Amino acid sequence: MQERSIKENIGAYKDIYSQLYSALKWKADKRTLMMIAAMYVTNAKEFHLKKYLEIADYIKGNVGAFSYLKSTQRFSIAATLDTTTDDPKTSFHHFIAIYEKLIDNGFSRNAYSYIAAGTLLKVEPMRIDEIVQKTDDIYKGMKEHHFFLTDSGDYPLASILALCEKDSEEIVSRVEEYYQALKKIDFSSGNDLQFLSHILALDSEQSPNVKAQQCMEIKELLHNANHKTKRVYYPYIGMLSFLENKESEINNLLMINEDLNRDKLFKWNKEINFMMSVLFLMSSMTAMGDAARTGLNISIEALIQAQQAAMTASMTAATVAASSSNGNT
């Protein structure tokens, strides 16, 4: 990722979002467009609206009539292809092949499986069967530990964890160690804590207890700055635990957040603004070792992919509710 200042990242984000909103405001949710803009910024990828729309149209024209990719999800997948591959249209067919391999391994045909397939685009073709199987093993391991918390919405996280070099059993065990360490210091149990434990498991350099304490330190700094520490922010607290100069950087984070909250384009999406602020702050971090940088980059991707999954879930629920309402009138 090329080095860019936070100010440059925010400026690029606002510009890309404005272009997307002008072109797609009647076709996609604002939050989805915010995430797409963030994908280009955090990947330091130049955005060209015409090329991007051509990729989205290509996807729509090359899937079945009832595919999820006929819907707004094609816009997120188009961004994934454009920001992570050199030839998005050719890579789309490889993406579909990965998706089908996930289905063959027991994943459901749903939007989350497409997001997981997008994560695995970077895997070398000769290793794809191995990593798909590893993704399935990790997902099953997650479900064994937390049966009621784990569902298809965790497919993307399982796929990202599968990119780690450790074997699946060790990864799942590590995730559970983080979960229990965080739970002991009063982080609330649930999906958000599980997500946080996944983020921390991407950094194998420090012990679960040390990382848990670092997360508590971040949580307290945010609380002392009168910023709410909702459960939904847990994974982002995990990201911030990578910081070395935590107190000064938290002040920078809050300034970025205030900037976005004041902007007329984003002022009605304060929860997303905080998440974006974390992404922009962390993607600008350059003074860290290679291992930490690798873990950080994967964490940024994990947060974006998981946020896509969350938005997909909320939009699906809204569509079902609307359909049900229309059917009752």
Side-chain angles (χ1 to χ4, degrees):
M1 184 183 292
Q2 73 181 61
E3 294 182 18
R4 294 197 299 193
S5 70
I6 295 174
K7 185 176 180 180
E8 289 172 327
N9 277 340
I10 295 173
Y13 170 68
K14 292 180 178 181
D15 177 61
I16 294 168
Y17 175 82
S18 296
Q19 292 183 59
L20 287 166
Y21 183 71
S22 294
L24 300 172
K25 58 186 173 183
W26 305 116
K27 296 181 180 180
D29 181 87
K30 286 183 179 180
R31 296 170 302 163
T32 298
L33 300 181
M34 292 167 75
M35 292 309 303
I36 291 170
M39 291 170 71
Y40 281 90
V41 172
T42 57
N43 282 286
K45 176 75 174 184
E46 290 294 324
F47 178 74
H48 301 285
L49 181 63
K50 181 180 178 182
K51 177 188 175 185
Y52 167 75
L53 294 176
E54 286 175 353
I55 298 168
D57 287 342
Y58 183 83
I59 292 171
K60 185 177 181 180
N62 283 273
V63 295
F66 301 105
S67 170
Y68 283 93
L69 299 185
K70 283 285 190 188
S71 70
T72 57
Q73 193 178 11
R74 72 182 184 276
F75 298 119
S76 295
I77 298 302
T80 298
L81 291 165
D82 195 24
T83 58
T84 60
T85 71
D86 295 326
D87 186 346
K89 292 180 181 178
T90 299
S91 296
F92 171 70
H93 299 284
H94 178 50
F95 161 79
I96 292 297
I98 296 172
Y99 170 79
E100 292 297 340
K101 287 180 183 293
L102 289 169
I103 302 307
D104 290 343
N105 272 263
F107 279 29
S108 301
R109 287 191 179 276
N110 61 27
Y112 305 119
S113 294
Y114 281 117
I115 297 172
T119 298
L120 300 182
L121 273 170
K122 65 188 66 169
V123 176
E124 296 176 10
M126 62 183 297
R127 292 194 66 199
I128 194 64
D129 288 337
E130 169 199 346
I131 301 302
V132 164
Q133 181 61 57
K134 187 177 178 181
T135 298
D136 187 41
D137 291 342
I138 290 172
Y139 175 75
K140 288 176 179 174
M142 290 161 58
K143 202 163 185 67
E144 284 180 11
H145 283 287
H146 300 282
F147 183 82
F148 294 107
L149 294 181
T150 307
D151 57 23
S152 59
D154 293 300
Y155 289 169
L157 286 169
S159 67
I160 287 172
L161 287 167
L163 300 177
C164 299
E165 290 304 317
K166 294 182 174 60
D167 64 51
S168 56
E169 289 186 6
E170 187 176 355
I171 291 169
V172 171
S173 176
R174 190 72 167 172
V175 167
E176 185 59 19
E177 287 176 5
Y178 281 114
Y179 188 94
Q180 295 303 329
L182 290 158
K183 187 177 176 182
K184 285 179 182 177
I185 57 173
D186 293 330
F187 277 83
S188 301
S189 300
N191 286 303
D192 298 306
L193 184 60
Q194 179 167 262
F195 188 1
L196 170 55
S197 66
H198 294 157
I199 293 296
L200 298 183
L202 294 167
D203 176 18
S204 59
E205 291 189 321
Q206 298 188 30
S207 73
N209 288 332
V210 170
K211 289 300 291 185
Q213 288 298 331
Q214 290 176 350
C215 288
M216 179 56 74
E217 183 181 348
I218 294 294
K219 188 178 179 183
E220 289 174 351
L221 284 171
L222 290 170
H223 177 76
N224 292 339
N226 296 316
H227 195 285
K228 294 180 180 178
T229 53
K230 302 177 182 179
R231 292 185 188 184
V232 72
Y233 293 157
Y234 279 5
Y236 297 85
I237 288 173
M239 277 280 288
L240 293 168
S241 71
F242 281 94
L243 294 171
E244 291 186 6
N245 302 313
K246 294 180 175 58
E247 190 165 350
S248 63
E249 293 298 348
I250 289 297
N251 290 332
N252 289 335
L253 170 72
L254 296 175
M255 285 191 288
I256 298 169
N257 190 51
E258 183 60 27
D259 181 5
L260 294 176
N261 284 342
R262 285 198 308 264
D263 196 300
K264 64 180 181 181
L265 292 173
F266 311 115
K267 64 181 181 180
W268 304 113
N269 291 283
K270 288 184 169 55
E271 193 170 284
I272 303 295
N273 287 343
F274 177 75
M275 298 173 184
M276 293 299 173
S277 300
V278 175
L279 293 179
F280 298 149
L281 176 69
M282 299 309 297
S283 64
S284 71
M285 295 288 104
T286 57
M288 56 176 60
D290 290 342
R293 164 57 62 185
T294 298
L296 175 60
N297 288 344
I298 296 173
S299 298
I300 289 172
E301 180 179 344
L303 291 169
I304 290 176
Q305 300 287 25
Q307 192 59 40
Q308 279 191 56
M311 290 177 185
T312 297
S314 64
M315 286 186 283
T316 299
T319 301
V320 170
S323 298
S324 176
S325 176
N326 290 337
N328 291 331
T329 57

